[in-house]
Amino acid sequence: MEDNQNVKIDAIRRQLSACGQSHLLSFWDQLGPAERAGLVEQIRELDLDRIPTWVETLVLHAPKTPVGHKDFQPASSYGIAPATDAERRKYEDAVKLGKELIAAGKVAAFVVAGGQGTRLGFDGPKGNYPISPVRNKTLFQIFAETIKAVSRRYRTICPWYIMTSPMNHEATVRIFESNDFYGLDRGNVLIFQQGTLPNFGFDGKILMADKASIARSPDGHGGSIRALARSGALADMKKRGVQYLSYWQVDNPLVKLFDPLFIGLHAIDGAQMSSKAVIKNNPKEKVGNFCLVDGKMTVIEYSDLDDSLAERRNPDGSLVFRLGSIAIHIISTDFIEKLNTKGFSLPLHRAVKKIPHIDSRGNPVEPAEPNGIKLESFIFDALPMAERSIILDIDRAEQFAPTKNATGVDSAESTRVMMVERAAKWLESAGVKVPRKPDGSPDCLLEIAPSFALEPEDLRAKTDRIPPIQPGDRLYLGGT
Ligand code: UTP
């Protein structure tokens, strides 16, 4: 037995030595049997063959932007409203088809919630962050209530797939259990984990979190494509007949889940992965840019878009590269299956971060400055692999409020302001008077529960249940 283990560990030592990572076993002699087994398991999960390439191309040197020599064109999109009569008919057909697909149970919700949410600085999974302006509902609760309201409206089951990471999986499951799955049937909520990637020091050596474990982080939202297949979520979808995933990020409470127009356009055009976009506010707005690179739909990060391209304008003054990515997609399950059938991988991106670890003597190090590299893959890097992909523009005030930071730009604060503003607009469109301050912002706090209205049209039939709103009021509209 002992001999067998020695043979095994000798083989691992040789593999590690071949990729310059022998130090992972530096403390082997000090570890007990359980710790040793755990460490061996973690090493097995590393993609050892690829590590030298990652070190060379991503850790030791920052890669050059990949777009330099390629044909580079702006992507086109469907506008917020149809531009022609023919397009109007197409939008109507799409809405009809989208509704049919939802009602037939062919569409599932898919949120990626495995991130570490470091910028928000919240203790626990970001989905548990209380965000709604009046009731302080958490992000998870808002999504759950939306899914419940959609299921009820279409008299169907809308399964919900939630991706976590090993760093927040148990906490996420506990939150759902302690909230009784927010009233959803727990058989229709599947919580599964994404993979991890090792963290590197600037010298290319993998960092150790402690003597028996490798410093790791979630492998990015792009890890979802593989995790869907590996976790059994994809098989579950096939069993249920789900053909489309409505994908979003856990930090956007304004997202319009199960948007019939978006689903319908994707299906009519035979797309495999589609996206919603906002029209950029300025040339270098910090969102990815939808481009056609060598004819393929691609998202280029704002930092990688050459200034001369970013600044380029059409004769009417609008930006040539005007479509910003907001991480809302429809993904066909067939596409996910196809990607997973053959040695598929998404490109990795590097992020320079502060990474707690132990030093070569085993002492803990809490870095005050960035000290290493995390690697991650991005979901939008699957777009060029799609044979067909469409983009639908949306009004950001209606559908996009990313809660990245605690205060300032893209923060919990700005998200709440947007939630109140959207509720005010919806109410006004239904003929309800909303008090406003001299600067035009609502002079009240408003919250509309998904069960009360999923879209502005729902309010029109309910105006008799909306009390007059006075300056300074806090109004919550709930119930069905
Ligand atoms: P972000 O890029 O905003 O990262 O993720 P984050 O980890 O949430 O926050 P910071 O950067 O540490 O402050 C966008 C979305 O992708 C998910 C997040 O949970 C969020 O919904 N995500 C990100 C994953 O599911 N897994 C990952 O590995 C990374």
Side-chain angles (χ1 to χ4, degrees):
M1 188 71 178
E2 182 94 338
D3 275 0
N4 248 344
Q5 272 175 0
N6 285 340
V7 171
K8 237 170 35 186
I9 198 63
D10 283 348
I12 292 173
R13 258 187 230 287
R14 277 197 301 277
Q15 284 175 305
L16 288 175
S17 159
C19 61
Q21 304 292 343
S22 305
H23 65 287
L24 299 188
L25 294 176
S26 297
F27 303 101
W28 184 255
D29 294 341
Q30 301 173 32
L31 304 182
E35 288 173 319
R36 285 183 173 188
L39 182 55
V40 166
E41 188 56 35
Q42 289 172 48
I43 294 172
R44 287 232 170 86
E45 280 167 17
L46 296 174
D47 207 342
L48 287 176
D49 293 343
R50 289 191 170 156
I51 282 178
T53 314
W54 293 346
V55 168
E56 196 48 42
T57 59
L58 291 157
V59 180
L60 296 180
H61 317 281
K64 298 217 169 35
T65 110
V67 291
H69 310 292
K70 301 189 171 173
D71 177 46
F72 207 67
Q73 302 293 331
S76 59
S77 63
Y78 286 102
I80 295 177
T84 61
D85 272 352
E87 209 167 65
R88 185 177 46 72
R89 283 191 294 277
K90 185 164 188 181
Y91 277 40
E92 284 166 7
D93 290 347
V95 169
K96 187 163 169 287
L97 176 61
K99 288 181 174 174
E100 285 165 9
L101 290 169
I102 298 168
K106 307 261 180 232
V107 188
F110 175 36
V111 66
V112 286
Q116 296 181 294
T118 38
R119 282 169 290 171
L120 188 59
F122 174 62
D123 193 17
K126 212 189 221 187
N128 204 33
Y129 190 86
I131 192 71
S132 78
V134 177
R135 287 285 171 95
N136 251 341
K137 289 180 188 171
T138 65
L139 290 153
F140 281 144
Q141 181 167 357
I142 294 171
F143 302 139
E145 289 185 11
T146 306
I147 290 167
K148 202 168 168 192
V150 173
S151 311
R152 189 176 298 153
R153 170 156 310 174
Y154 290 91
R155 297 197 180 85
T156 189
I157 291 170
C158 301
W160 187 12
Y161 298 88
I162 300 169
M163 186 176 83
T164 62
S165 66
M167 288 78 199
N168 70 7
H169 182 76
E170 279 170 26
T172 305
V173 170
R174 267 201 309 276
I175 289 161
F176 273 77
E177 282 175 348
S178 61
N179 286 285
D180 200 18
F181 284 68
Y182 306 97
L184 293 169
D185 176 349
R186 62 177 63 198
N188 295 325
V189 181
L190 207 121
I191 309 178
F192 66 94
Q193 299 186 55
Q194 66 181 112
T196 60
L197 285 167
N199 299 159
F200 294 84
F202 291 133
D203 60 358
K205 302 288 179 210
I206 293 174
L207 295 169
M208 295 295 287
D210 57 47
K211 291 179 179 175
S213 38
I214 293 169
R216 296 177 298 165
S217 47
D219 60 359
H221 36 67
S224 58
I225 303 268
R226 184 169 287 155
L228 281 165
R230 286 199 178 166
S231 64
L234 188 60
D236 185 74
M237 287 165 200
K238 291 200 79 167
K239 207 170 67 198
R240 292 171 187 264
V242 169
Q243 292 176 354
Y244 305 99
L245 289 187
S246 173
Y247 169 105
W248 80 102
Q249 299 191 336
V250 75
D251 50 23
N252 179 17
L254 290 192
V255 65
K256 182 170 181 180
L257 298 180
F258 299 94
D259 180 348
L261 174 63
F262 188 31
I263 296 162
L265 287 172
H266 172 93
I268 288 178
D269 282 359
Q272 294 166 309
M273 177 167 171
S274 296
S275 315
K276 283 188 174 176
V278 290
I279 306 302
K280 282 170 25 185
N281 282 331
N282 62 70
K284 294 300 271 182
E285 186 181 346
K286 291 184 175 174
V287 287
N289 292 271
F290 285 109
C291 305
L292 293 179
V293 177
D294 286 345
K296 291 197 180 303
M297 183 70 76
T298 307
V299 171
I300 300 295
E301 289 187 81
Y302 68 93
S303 48
D304 289 342
L305 185 68
D306 204 75
D307 281 358
S308 63
L309 290 176
E311 305 280 353
R312 194 177 287 171
R313 303 233 171 220
N314 295 309
D316 66 1
S318 62
L319 291 171
V320 170
F321 291 93
R322 64 191 193 111
L323 298 175
S325 170
I326 50 171
I328 299 176
H329 303 284
I330 298 293
I331 313 176
S332 295
T333 46
D334 281 354
F335 180 53
I336 296 167
E337 192 174 15
K338 191 171 149 219
L339 288 178
N340 276 287
T341 46
K342 40 182 184 198
F344 138 86
S345 68
L346 291 177
L348 291 179
H349 301 253
R350 81 197 302 254
V352 177
K353 299 272 182 184
K354 287 187 244 176
I355 305 168
H357 63 105
I358 55 167
D359 65 18
S360 58
R361 286 197 298 266
N363 299 318
V365 180
E366 267 303 329
E369 296 300 324
N371 64 319
I373 307 278
K374 291 185 178 181
L375 301 178
E376 57 181 346
S377 61
F378 298 152
I379 188 74
F380 54 70
D381 280 328
L383 282 169
M385 299 175 192
E387 274 156 33
R388 184 136 178 72
S389 169
I390 60 132
I391 298 176
L392 175 62
D393 300 347
I394 54 116
D395 173 0
R396 71 174 79 203
E398 280 288 314
Q399 301 190 36
F400 183 54
T403 310
K404 300 287 183 195
N405 309 297
T407 55
V409 177
D410 292 345
S411 66
E413 217 171 63
S414 61
T415 296
R416 284 191 197 102
V417 169
M418 289 183 74
M419 292 174 89
V420 172
E421 182 55 62
R422 186 179 79 168
K425 270 209 215 126
W426 285 18
L427 286 163
E428 285 166 343
S429 76
V432 177
K433 181 140 181 43
V434 174
R436 288 187 177 266
K437 297 179 188 157
D439 68 1
S441 62
D443 189 6
C444 49
L445 282 186
L446 302 169
E447 181 175 336
I448 302 174
S451 56
F452 196 82
L454 283 168
E455 49 201 356
E457 291 69 37
D458 299 337
L459 290 176
R460 296 208 184 107
K462 296 185 174 175
T463 45
D464 55 331
R465 292 168 51 191
I466 304 170
I469 310 172
Q470 306 301 334
D473 272 359
R474 294 166 62 89
L475 176 68
Y476 173 75
L477 296 170
T480 47

mmCIF file of all heavy atoms in Angstrom, residues 126-161:
data_model
loop_
_atom_site.group_PDB
_atom_site.id
_atom_site.type_symbol
_atom_site.label_atom_id
_atom_site.label_comp_id
_atom_site.label_asym_id
_atom_site.label_seq_id
_atom_site.Cartn_x
_atom_site.Cartn_y
_atom_site.Cartn_z
ATOM 1 N N LYS A 126 -22.893 37.121 -3.810
ATOM 2 C CA LYS A 126 -23.456 38.413 -4.232
ATOM 3 C C LYS A 126 -24.980 38.350 -4.401
ATOM 4 O O LYS A 126 -25.678 39.325 -4.171
ATOM 5 C CB LYS A 126 -22.818 38.803 -5.560
ATOM 6 C CG LYS A 126 -22.650 40.273 -5.766
ATOM 7 C CD LYS A 126 -22.225 40.526 -7.214
ATOM 8 C CE LYS A 126 -21.166 41.593 -7.297
ATOM 9 N NZ LYS A 126 -20.857 41.959 -8.690
ATOM 10 N N GLY A 127 -25.472 37.181 -4.801
ATOM 11 C CA GLY A 127 -26.920 37.035 -5.004
ATOM 12 C C GLY A 127 -27.713 37.290 -3.737
ATOM 13 O O GLY A 127 -28.917 37.537 -3.774
ATOM 14 N N ASN A 128 -27.039 37.244 -2.593
ATOM 15 C CA ASN A 128 -27.731 37.469 -1.323
ATOM 16 C C ASN A 128 -27.671 38.935 -0.901
ATOM 17 O O ASN A 128 -28.049 39.293 0.210
ATOM 18 C CB ASN A 128 -27.094 36.595 -0.239
ATOM 19 C CG ASN A 128 -28.057 36.320 0.910
ATOM 20 O OD1 ASN A 128 -29.261 36.209 0.692
ATOM 21 N ND2 ASN A 128 -27.540 36.232 2.115
ATOM 22 N N TYR A 129 -27.184 39.769 -1.810
ATOM 23 C CA TYR A 129 -27.063 41.200 -1.481
ATOM 24 C C TYR A 129 -28.445 41.848 -1.508
ATOM 25 O O TYR A 129 -29.185 41.720 -2.483
ATOM 26 C CB TYR A 129 -26.145 41.878 -2.506
ATOM 27 C CG TYR A 129 -25.780 43.285 -2.121
ATOM 28 C CD1 TYR A 129 -24.700 43.518 -1.281
ATOM 29 C CD2 TYR A 129 -26.526 44.371 -2.571
ATOM 30 C CE1 TYR A 129 -24.371 44.814 -0.904
ATOM 31 C CE2 TYR A 129 -26.201 45.664 -2.198
ATOM 32 C CZ TYR A 129 -25.119 45.871 -1.367
ATOM 33 O OH TYR A 129 -24.797 47.141 -0.990
ATOM 34 N N PRO A 130 -28.823 42.559 -0.434
ATOM 35 C CA PRO A 130 -30.142 43.207 -0.424
ATOM 36 C C PRO A 130 -30.104 44.462 -1.289
ATOM 37 O O PRO A 130 -29.320 45.360 -1.026
ATOM 38 C CB PRO A 130 -30.344 43.577 1.054
ATOM 39 C CG PRO A 130 -28.991 43.508 1.683
ATOM 40 C CD PRO A 130 -28.042 42.794 0.780
ATOM 41 N N ILE A 131 -30.940 44.500 -2.297
ATOM 42 C CA ILE A 131 -30.810 45.588 -3.281
ATOM 43 C C ILE A 131 -32.093 46.367 -3.504
ATOM 44 O O ILE A 131 -32.049 47.535 -3.890
ATOM 45 C CB ILE A 131 -30.281 45.011 -4.634
ATOM 46 C CG1 ILE A 131 -29.840 46.114 -5.589
ATOM 47 C CG2 ILE A 131 -31.327 44.118 -5.307
ATOM 48 C CD1 ILE A 131 -28.586 46.795 -5.185
ATOM 49 N N SER A 132 -33.278 45.765 -3.266
ATOM 50 C CA SER A 132 -34.476 46.483 -3.716
ATOM 51 C C SER A 132 -34.736 47.696 -2.825
ATOM 52 O O SER A 132 -34.484 47.667 -1.624
ATOM 53 C CB SER A 132 -35.680 45.542 -3.778
ATOM 54 O OG SER A 132 -36.205 45.323 -2.500
ATOM 55 N N PRO A 133 -35.221 48.780 -3.420
ATOM 56 C CA PRO A 133 -35.216 50.087 -2.760
ATOM 57 C C PRO A 133 -36.130 50.208 -1.539
ATOM 58 O O PRO A 133 -35.827 50.965 -0.632
ATOM 59 C CB PRO A 133 -35.670 51.059 -3.839
ATOM 60 C CG PRO A 133 -35.813 50.303 -5.092
ATOM 61 C CD PRO A 133 -35.659 48.861 -4.821
ATOM 62 N N VAL A 134 -37.238 49.471 -1.497
ATOM 63 C CA VAL A 134 -38.155 49.630 -0.371
ATOM 64 C C VAL A 134 -38.084 48.419 0.570
ATOM 65 O O VAL A 134 -37.871 48.553 1.768
ATOM 66 C CB VAL A 134 -39.610 49.834 -0.854
ATOM 67 C CG1 VAL A 134 -40.570 49.936 0.335
ATOM 68 C CG2 VAL A 134 -39.701 51.091 -1.723
ATOM 69 N N ARG A 135 -38.212 47.242 0.019
ATOM 70 C CA ARG A 135 -38.262 46.028 0.832
ATOM 71 C C ARG A 135 -36.902 45.386 1.093
ATOM 72 O O ARG A 135 -36.820 44.371 1.782
ATOM 73 C CB ARG A 135 -39.169 44.991 0.168
ATOM 74 C CG ARG A 135 -40.642 45.315 0.244
ATOM 75 C CD ARG A 135 -41.156 45.051 1.655
ATOM 76 N NE ARG A 135 -42.496 45.528 1.846
ATOM 77 C CZ ARG A 135 -43.597 44.780 1.712
ATOM 78 N NH1 ARG A 135 -43.505 43.520 1.377
ATOM 79 N NH2 ARG A 135 -44.787 45.311 1.922
ATOM 80 N N ASN A 136 -35.859 45.916 0.474
ATOM 81 C CA ASN A 136 -34.531 45.340 0.648
ATOM 82 C C ASN A 136 -34.445 43.877 0.231
ATOM 83 O O ASN A 136 -33.736 43.082 0.864
ATOM 84 C CB ASN A 136 -34.105 45.452 2.108
ATOM 85 C CG ASN A 136 -33.009 46.481 2.253
ATOM 86 O OD1 ASN A 136 -32.342 46.831 1.264
ATOM 87 N ND2 ASN A 136 -32.822 46.972 3.467
ATOM 88 N N LYS A 137 -35.175 43.520 -0.779
ATOM 89 C CA LYS A 137 -35.096 42.135 -1.266
ATOM 90 C C LYS A 137 -33.718 41.887 -1.862
ATOM 91 O O LYS A 137 -33.120 42.784 -2.466
ATOM 92 C CB LYS A 137 -36.142 41.895 -2.362
ATOM 93 C CG LYS A 137 -37.557 41.861 -1.845
ATOM 94 C CD LYS A 137 -38.516 41.613 -3.002
ATOM 95 C CE LYS A 137 -39.941 41.777 -2.557
ATOM 96 N NZ LYS A 137 -40.887 41.746 -3.684
ATOM 97 N N THR A 138 -33.279 40.650 -1.750
ATOM 98 C CA THR A 138 -31.966 40.328 -2.313
ATOM 99 C C THR A 138 -32.096 40.086 -3.818
ATOM 100 O O THR A 138 -33.195 39.895 -4.349
ATOM 101 C CB THR A 138 -31.388 39.050 -1.676
ATOM 102 O OG1 THR A 138 -32.229 37.950 -2.032
ATOM 103 C CG2 THR A 138 -31.295 39.179 -0.164
ATOM 104 N N LEU A 139 -30.939 40.075 -4.476
ATOM 105 C CA LEU A 139 -30.933 39.789 -5.919
ATOM 106 C C LEU A 139 -31.580 38.432 -6.184
ATOM 107 O O LEU A 139 -32.429 38.297 -7.065
ATOM 108 C CB LEU A 139 -29.483 39.807 -6.423
ATOM 109 C CG LEU A 139 -28.848 41.206 -6.451
ATOM 110 C CD1 LEU A 139 -27.335 41.130 -6.307
ATOM 111 C CD2 LEU A 139 -29.214 41.932 -7.742
ATOM 112 N N PHE A 140 -31.188 37.412 -5.424
ATOM 113 C CA PHE A 140 -31.777 36.083 -5.644
ATOM 114 C C PHE A 140 -33.301 36.124 -5.514
ATOM 115 O O PHE A 140 -34.020 35.499 -6.283
ATOM 116 C CB PHE A 140 -31.226 35.069 -4.629
ATOM 117 C CG PHE A 140 -29.852 34.529 -4.948
ATOM 118 C CD1 PHE A 140 -28.938 34.262 -3.926
ATOM 119 C CD2 PHE A 140 -29.474 34.263 -6.263
ATOM 120 C CE1 PHE A 140 -27.671 33.749 -4.209
ATOM 121 C CE2 PHE A 140 -28.203 33.751 -6.556
ATOM 122 C CZ PHE A 140 -27.299 33.495 -5.520
ATOM 123 N N GLN A 141 -33.781 36.869 -4.517
ATOM 124 C CA GLN A 141 -35.231 36.897 -4.313
ATOM 125 C C GLN A 141 -35.942 37.550 -5.494
ATOM 126 O O GLN A 141 -36.988 37.073 -5.945
ATOM 127 C CB GLN A 141 -35.578 37.634 -3.014
ATOM 128 C CG GLN A 141 -37.089 37.637 -2.793
ATOM 129 C CD GLN A 141 -37.503 38.057 -1.404
ATOM 130 O OE1 GLN A 141 -36.655 38.312 -0.549
ATOM 131 N NE2 GLN A 141 -38.794 38.128 -1.157
ATOM 132 N N ILE A 142 -35.361 38.629 -5.994
ATOM 133 C CA ILE A 142 -35.978 39.313 -7.145
ATOM 134 C C ILE A 142 -36.054 38.365 -8.351
ATOM 135 O O ILE A 142 -37.077 38.241 -9.015
ATOM 136 C CB ILE A 142 -35.189 40.591 -7.501
ATOM 137 C CG1 ILE A 142 -35.318 41.601 -6.363
ATOM 138 C CG2 ILE A 142 -35.662 41.192 -8.822
ATOM 139 C CD1 ILE A 142 -34.403 42.811 -6.494
ATOM 140 N N PHE A 143 -34.947 37.643 -8.604
ATOM 141 C CA PHE A 143 -34.955 36.720 -9.749
ATOM 142 C C PHE A 143 -35.981 35.598 -9.520
ATOM 143 O O PHE A 143 -36.702 35.216 -10.431
ATOM 144 C CB PHE A 143 -33.564 36.116 -9.969
ATOM 145 C CG PHE A 143 -32.489 37.144 -10.210
ATOM 146 C CD1 PHE A 143 -31.230 37.030 -9.632
ATOM 147 C CD2 PHE A 143 -32.733 38.239 -11.034
ATOM 148 C CE1 PHE A 143 -30.240 37.967 -9.849
ATOM 149 C CE2 PHE A 143 -31.743 39.193 -11.269
ATOM 150 C CZ PHE A 143 -30.495 39.053 -10.662
ATOM 151 N N ALA A 144 -36.002 35.082 -8.292
ATOM 152 C CA ALA A 144 -36.930 33.981 -7.996
ATOM 153 C C ALA A 144 -38.369 34.439 -8.201
ATOM 154 O O ALA A 144 -39.183 33.730 -8.802
ATOM 155 C CB ALA A 144 -36.715 33.494 -6.560
ATOM 156 N N GLU A 145 -38.677 35.648 -7.734
ATOM 157 C CA GLU A 145 -40.049 36.155 -7.885
ATOM 158 C C GLU A 145 -40.384 36.375 -9.361
ATOM 159 O O GLU A 145 -41.519 36.179 -9.792
ATOM 160 C CB GLU A 145 -40.226 37.460 -7.098
ATOM 161 C CG GLU A 145 -40.226 37.225 -5.591
ATOM 162 C CD GLU A 145 -40.525 38.502 -4.806
ATOM 163 O OE1 GLU A 145 -40.938 39.512 -5.404
ATOM 164 O OE2 GLU A 145 -40.336 38.480 -3.575
ATOM 165 N N THR A 146 -39.371 36.797 -10.124
ATOM 166 C CA THR A 146 -39.610 36.993 -11.563
ATOM 167 C C THR A 146 -39.914 35.649 -12.221
ATOM 168 O O THR A 146 -40.862 35.521 -13.014
ATOM 169 C CB THR A 146 -38.366 37.635 -12.236
ATOM 170 O OG1 THR A 146 -38.044 38.828 -11.533
ATOM 171 C CG2 THR A 146 -38.616 37.944 -13.696
ATOM 172 N N ILE A 147 -39.121 34.647 -11.882
ATOM 173 C CA ILE A 147 -39.319 33.321 -12.489
ATOM 174 C C ILE A 147 -40.695 32.768 -12.106
ATOM 175 O O ILE A 147 -41.410 32.200 -12.931
ATOM 176 C CB ILE A 147 -38.167 32.379 -12.059
ATOM 177 C CG1 ILE A 147 -36.879 32.843 -12.750
ATOM 178 C CG2 ILE A 147 -38.493 30.921 -12.377
ATOM 179 C CD1 ILE A 147 -35.609 32.231 -12.213
ATOM 180 N N LYS A 148 -41.067 33.000 -10.865
ATOM 181 C CA LYS A 148 -42.386 32.533 -10.420
ATOM 182 C C LYS A 148 -43.503 33.245 -11.200
ATOM 183 O O LYS A 148 -44.469 32.618 -11.649
ATOM 184 C CB LYS A 148 -42.530 32.834 -8.921
ATOM 185 C CG LYS A 148 -43.537 31.975 -8.250
ATOM 186 C CD LYS A 148 -43.418 32.131 -6.752
ATOM 187 C CE LYS A 148 -44.614 31.505 -6.090
ATOM 188 N NZ LYS A 148 -44.710 31.846 -4.691
ATOM 189 N N ALA A 149 -43.341 34.550 -11.363
ATOM 190 C CA ALA A 149 -44.375 35.327 -12.067
ATOM 191 C C ALA A 149 -44.461 34.910 -13.544
ATOM 192 O O ALA A 149 -45.549 34.809 -14.105
ATOM 193 C CB ALA A 149 -44.068 36.822 -11.961
ATOM 194 N N VAL A 150 -43.292 34.652 -14.165
ATOM 195 C CA VAL A 150 -43.307 34.224 -15.569
ATOM 196 C C VAL A 150 -43.963 32.846 -15.669
ATOM 197 O O VAL A 150 -44.805 32.608 -16.547
ATOM 198 C CB VAL A 150 -41.864 34.185 -16.147
ATOM 199 C CG1 VAL A 150 -41.857 33.578 -17.548
ATOM 200 C CG2 VAL A 150 -41.259 35.583 -16.185
ATOM 201 N N SER A 151 -43.606 31.938 -14.773
ATOM 202 C CA SER A 151 -44.191 30.579 -14.809
ATOM 203 C C SER A 151 -45.705 30.661 -14.703
ATOM 204 O O SER A 151 -46.431 29.957 -15.392
ATOM 205 C CB SER A 151 -43.694 29.712 -13.653
ATOM 206 O OG SER A 151 -42.320 29.779 -13.543
ATOM 207 N N ARG A 152 -46.143 31.554 -13.817
ATOM 208 C CA ARG A 152 -47.598 31.679 -13.614
ATOM 209 C C ARG A 152 -48.254 32.256 -14.877
ATOM 210 O O ARG A 152 -49.263 31.769 -15.341
ATOM 211 C CB ARG A 152 -47.852 32.578 -12.408
ATOM 212 C CG ARG A 152 -49.305 32.569 -12.011
ATOM 213 C CD ARG A 152 -49.551 33.371 -10.759
ATOM 214 N NE ARG A 152 -48.854 32.844 -9.598
ATOM 215 C CZ ARG A 152 -48.480 33.591 -8.561
ATOM 216 N NH1 ARG A 152 -48.700 34.886 -8.567
ATOM 217 N NH2 ARG A 152 -47.887 33.055 -7.530
ATOM 218 N N ARG A 153 -47.627 33.298 -15.406
ATOM 219 C CA ARG A 153 -48.220 33.942 -16.590
ATOM 220 C C ARG A 153 -48.355 32.966 -17.752
ATOM 221 O O ARG A 153 -49.357 32.970 -18.465
ATOM 222 C CB ARG A 153 -47.352 35.129 -17.012
ATOM 223 C CG ARG A 153 -47.749 35.705 -18.365
ATOM 224 C CD ARG A 153 -47.339 37.122 -18.526
ATOM 225 N NE ARG A 153 -47.752 37.935 -17.390
ATOM 226 C CZ ARG A 153 -47.421 39.198 -17.211
ATOM 227 N NH1 ARG A 153 -46.687 39.801 -18.106
ATOM 228 N NH2 ARG A 153 -47.820 39.867 -16.164
ATOM 229 N N TYR A 154 -47.342 32.168 -17.961
ATOM 230 C CA TYR A 154 -47.358 31.269 -19.130
ATOM 231 C C TYR A 154 -47.856 29.869 -18.775
ATOM 232 O O TYR A 154 -47.805 28.972 -19.601
ATOM 233 C CB TYR A 154 -45.951 31.188 -19.744
ATOM 234 C CG TYR A 154 -45.528 32.475 -20.419
ATOM 235 C CD1 TYR A 154 -44.833 33.459 -19.710
ATOM 236 C CD2 TYR A 154 -45.842 32.718 -21.752
ATOM 237 C CE1 TYR A 154 -44.451 34.644 -20.318
ATOM 238 C CE2 TYR A 154 -45.456 33.899 -22.367
ATOM 239 C CZ TYR A 154 -44.767 34.865 -21.648
ATOM 240 O OH TYR A 154 -44.394 36.036 -22.256
ATOM 241 N N ARG A 155 -48.302 29.700 -17.527
ATOM 242 C CA ARG A 155 -48.778 28.392 -17.044
ATOM 243 C C ARG A 155 -47.804 27.279 -17.432
ATOM 244 O O ARG A 155 -48.141 26.306 -18.102
ATOM 245 C CB ARG A 155 -50.155 28.072 -17.635
ATOM 246 C CG ARG A 155 -51.202 29.054 -17.215
ATOM 247 C CD ARG A 155 -52.593 28.491 -17.456
ATOM 248 N NE ARG A 155 -53.582 29.441 -17.040
ATOM 249 C CZ ARG A 155 -54.017 30.439 -17.821
ATOM 250 N NH1 ARG A 155 -53.553 30.591 -19.037
ATOM 251 N NH2 ARG A 155 -54.931 31.279 -17.362
ATOM 252 N N THR A 156 -46.566 27.488 -17.035
ATOM 253 C CA THR A 156 -45.536 26.520 -17.420
ATOM 254 C C THR A 156 -44.508 26.398 -16.303
ATOM 255 O O THR A 156 -44.607 27.086 -15.279
ATOM 256 C CB THR A 156 -44.862 26.979 -18.739
ATOM 257 O OG1 THR A 156 -44.015 25.931 -19.208
ATOM 258 C CG2 THR A 156 -44.029 28.241 -18.555
ATOM 259 N N ILE A 157 -43.535 25.520 -16.528
ATOM 260 C CA ILE A 157 -42.414 25.436 -15.584
ATOM 261 C C ILE A 157 -41.220 26.130 -16.232
ATOM 262 O O ILE A 157 -40.879 25.836 -17.378
ATOM 263 C CB ILE A 157 -42.066 23.955 -15.305
ATOM 264 C CG1 ILE A 157 -43.199 23.313 -14.502
ATOM 265 C CG2 ILE A 157 -40.739 23.833 -14.575
ATOM 266 C CD1 ILE A 157 -43.071 21.813 -14.386
ATOM 267 N N CYS A 158 -40.626 27.063 -15.501
ATOM 268 C CA CYS A 158 -39.406 27.707 -15.987
ATOM 269 C C CYS A 158 -38.263 27.223 -15.095
ATOM 270 O O CYS A 158 -38.072 27.778 -14.002
ATOM 271 C CB CYS A 158 -39.497 29.225 -15.900
ATOM 272 S SG CYS A 158 -40.864 29.927 -16.831
ATOM 273 N N PRO A 159 -37.532 26.222 -15.506
ATOM 274 C CA PRO A 159 -36.443 25.746 -14.658
ATOM 275 C C PRO A 159 -35.382 26.834 -14.496
ATOM 276 O O PRO A 159 -35.190 27.657 -15.398
ATOM 277 C CB PRO A 159 -35.865 24.552 -15.416
ATOM 278 C CG PRO A 159 -36.747 24.313 -16.582
ATOM 279 C CD PRO A 159 -37.564 25.535 -16.803
ATOM 280 N N TRP A 160 -34.719 26.798 -13.345
ATOM 281 C CA TRP A 160 -33.690 27.819 -13.059
ATOM 282 C C TRP A 160 -32.380 27.111 -12.745
ATOM 283 O O TRP A 160 -32.315 26.320 -11.796
ATOM 284 C CB TRP A 160 -34.139 28.676 -11.877
ATOM 285 C CG TRP A 160 -33.254 29.858 -11.579
ATOM 286 C CD1 TRP A 160 -32.249 30.354 -12.367
ATOM 287 C CD2 TRP A 160 -33.290 30.693 -10.414
ATOM 288 N NE1 TRP A 160 -31.673 31.450 -11.766
ATOM 289 C CE2 TRP A 160 -32.290 31.682 -10.568
ATOM 290 C CE3 TRP A 160 -34.081 30.707 -9.268
ATOM 291 C CZ2 TRP A 160 -32.057 32.658 -9.606
ATOM 292 C CZ3 TRP A 160 -33.856 31.686 -8.314
ATOM 293 C CH2 TRP A 160 -32.850 32.655 -8.478
ATOM 294 N N TYR A 161 -31.365 27.397 -13.541
ATOM 295 C CA TYR A 161 -30.029 26.842 -13.320
ATOM 296 C C TYR A 161 -29.145 27.949 -12.750
ATOM 297 O O TYR A 161 -29.126 29.067 -13.277
ATOM 298 C CB TYR A 161 -29.453 26.309 -14.633
ATOM 299 C CG TYR A 161 -30.301 25.182 -15.192
ATOM 300 C CD1 TYR A 161 -31.381 25.455 -16.034
ATOM 301 C CD2 TYR A 161 -30.068 23.864 -14.827
ATOM 302 C CE1 TYR A 161 -32.197 24.434 -16.511
ATOM 303 C CE2 TYR A 161 -30.884 22.840 -15.295
ATOM 304 C CZ TYR A 161 -31.936 23.136 -16.135
ATOM 305 O OH TYR A 161 -32.746 22.120 -16.585
#
